[in-house]
Amino acid sequence: MSSNEFSLSPEQIAQFERDGYIGPFDLYDPAEMEQHLRALRPKLISTKKSIYSDEKQASAISNYDRHFDIDFLASHVTRPEIVDRVSSLLGPDTLCWRSEFLAKYPGDEGTDWHQAEDFSSLTDEHTPQIQWPADSDRRGTITVWTAFTEASVETGALQFIPGTHKEMNYDETKGLSYDPDVINNLEKQGTNRGFFGYDYRQLQKDPNWAPDESKAISAVMKQGQFIIFWSTLMHASHPNTSQDQARLGYSVRYLPTAARVYPGLTELNEFGSTVSLARYGAVLTSGEDTFHHNTFVQQTVNGYEFPVREIRRSA
Ligand SMILES: O=C(O)CCC(=O)C(=O)O
Ligand SMILES: [Fe+2]
């Protein structure tokens, strides 16, 4: 049991185990978040310093891992308010292996219902992107999704089906075919939803099954709040039906250092685009790494050092 300032209580941990998510929690107040966002926008548009600047064409990968070149994001992924809570769930030794921006502009489709165990459906040979130790019965990754803008039902709030994180409805080895023409073009159970150029229904174990949306909750969030969930939880988002309000989510993924990141992979191939992982490394967010099977990056391209949180253990 960890006893840091922002550790989860035993009740909160039990709630997370039951529901597959917990939050939202306050991190930035809305005015502060808005200021950070204003400073961030021009930096996001230029991908010159991104570790994937070798990318041939702009794709969803252009939004990946900007914590390596934007110091505000480096500070965000290591924030004690986040890391203490993640460590309560994963143990004292944790890493951040990916961050990504998920934007919904007015008129954009919602994100399809999905669950992800090892993220292999997106890669070419359906190679797992993450791997837990063989003796672990855990799967998936912890995602911390922060509302950089307000996330309301109208602008594209996340949706969860509580308690669905223990059984997969999708088989990631089936693989997905990328087709940018389906973006904003598919209707599912009466709602405009897609998966950034993929149709996640292709992975369904049972083609005739459909998610029970009557059990879904909407995670409405104020600007600057974050929520924590298992990637294996059934999750989606509402379409953005607002007139003029963008919804920007920043998703950060965490694992214990015992897990392997991109095992055997030298390239990342997703969303119709391929990038080299030569400059990639995980970020140690708390404790220590005694496994030495992952490569770590200690500082951003600007020289900002990622702080490593120490997790106190209570007796
Ligand atoms: O932001 C969204 O619409 C989807 C987020 C998501 O699927 C994730 O963070 O894993
Ligand atoms: Fe997701």
Side-chain angles (χ1 to χ4, degrees):
M1 178 73 34
S2 50
S3 61
N4 273 34
E5 185 179 353
F6 302 106
S7 299
L8 295 171
S9 69
E11 294 73 34
Q12 287 175 312
I13 295 171
Q15 191 186 331
F16 182 83
E17 296 302 334
R18 186 194 65 209
D19 297 339
Y21 73 96
I22 189 144
F25 300 100
D26 292 338
L27 182 55
Y28 310 100
D29 73 48
E32 185 191 0
M33 187 74 248
E34 186 61 30
Q35 260 187 339
H36 285 306
L37 189 57
R38 285 203 189 151
L40 190 60
R41 279 204 155 108
K43 294 185 185 166
L44 278 181
I45 290 165
S46 165
T47 53
K48 266 204 291 285
K49 282 164 85 183
S50 144
I51 61 162
Y52 306 126
S53 54
D54 60 322
E55 191 184 5
K56 303 277 180 302
Q57 77 221 61
S59 77
I61 297 181
S62 317
N63 293 319
Y64 276 13
D65 296 341
R66 299 302 303 275
H67 59 281
F68 292 120
D69 70 285
I70 300 177
D71 294 355
F72 166 67
L73 299 176
S75 134
H76 175 81
V77 305
T78 53
R79 281 290 292 249
E81 292 88 338
I82 292 176
V83 174
D84 283 358
R85 289 176 171 110
V86 167
S87 300
S88 301
L89 303 167
L90 292 178
D93 306 316
T94 65
L95 58 80
C96 158
W97 66 280
R98 166 160 322 150
S99 72
E100 54 197 282
F101 278 99
L102 296 143
K104 300 281 177 207
Y105 297 102
D108 277 358
E109 64 191 5
T111 303
D112 268 353
W113 285 106
H114 64 288
Q115 297 170 297
E117 250 180 17
D118 62 14
F119 294 76
S120 59
S121 62
L122 302 173
T123 54
D124 263 1
E125 323 272 294
H126 311 312
T127 322
Q129 297 192 23
I130 55 172
Q131 194 174 53
W132 285 76
D135 60 359
S136 168
D137 55 6
R138 289 199 156 173
R139 296 288 176 270
T141 186
I142 296 265
T143 296
V144 175
W145 193 101
T146 303
F148 276 29
T149 61
E150 185 193 8
S152 62
V153 170
E154 292 71 35
T155 61
L158 289 179
Q159 292 175 278
F160 299 132
I161 305 183
T164 51
H165 53 300
K166 292 184 178 147
E167 207 165 320
M168 287 289 286
N169 299 302
Y170 304 90
D171 174 0
E172 288 177 286
T173 64
K174 283 190 173 183
L176 290 168
S177 41
Y178 183 69
D179 177 6
D181 288 344
V182 303
I183 296 176
N184 292 329
N185 252 333
L186 285 175
E187 192 156 302
K188 323 225 164 122
Q189 296 177 275
T191 304
N192 184 219
R193 280 193 219 273
F195 200 78
F196 313 100
Y198 297 100
D199 183 346
Y200 217 83
R201 293 177 300 188
Q202 290 174 353
L203 297 185
Q204 280 180 207
K205 286 181 175 168
D206 172 2
N208 299 317
W209 163 91
D212 183 358
E213 296 194 63
S214 71
K215 299 210 166 74
I217 63 106
S218 296
V220 168
M221 290 164 69
K222 287 198 279 223
Q223 187 171 24
Q225 289 187 315
F226 70 90
I227 198 159
I228 308 174
F229 60 96
W230 272 122
S231 60
T232 52
L233 181 68
M234 283 292 293
H235 62 289
S237 67
H238 290 281
N240 187 330
T241 56
S242 76
Q243 288 304 307
D244 54 9
Q245 274 180 284
R247 183 223 74 172
L248 188 64
Y250 186 51
S251 234
V252 188
R253 320 229 187 247
Y254 297 88
L255 282 171
T257 54
R260 284 169 203 266
V261 178
Y262 297 135
L265 287 172
T266 55
E267 286 185 334
L268 185 58
N269 183 309
E270 293 188 329
F271 303 102
S273 171
T274 303
V275 290
S276 161
L277 290 171
R279 296 166 71 194
Y280 172 84
V283 173
L284 185 68
T285 39
S286 64
E288 56 182 346
D289 169 44
T290 54
F291 296 94
H292 308 295
H293 53 216
N294 290 312
T295 307
F296 288 90
V297 168
Q298 261 104 33
Q299 48 178 239
T300 66
V301 301
N302 313 304
Y304 170 90
E305 271 194 48
F306 292 103
V308 184
R309 184 79 166 162
E310 214 169 292
I311 306 295
R312 284 195 306 267
R313 287 163 230 221
S314 52

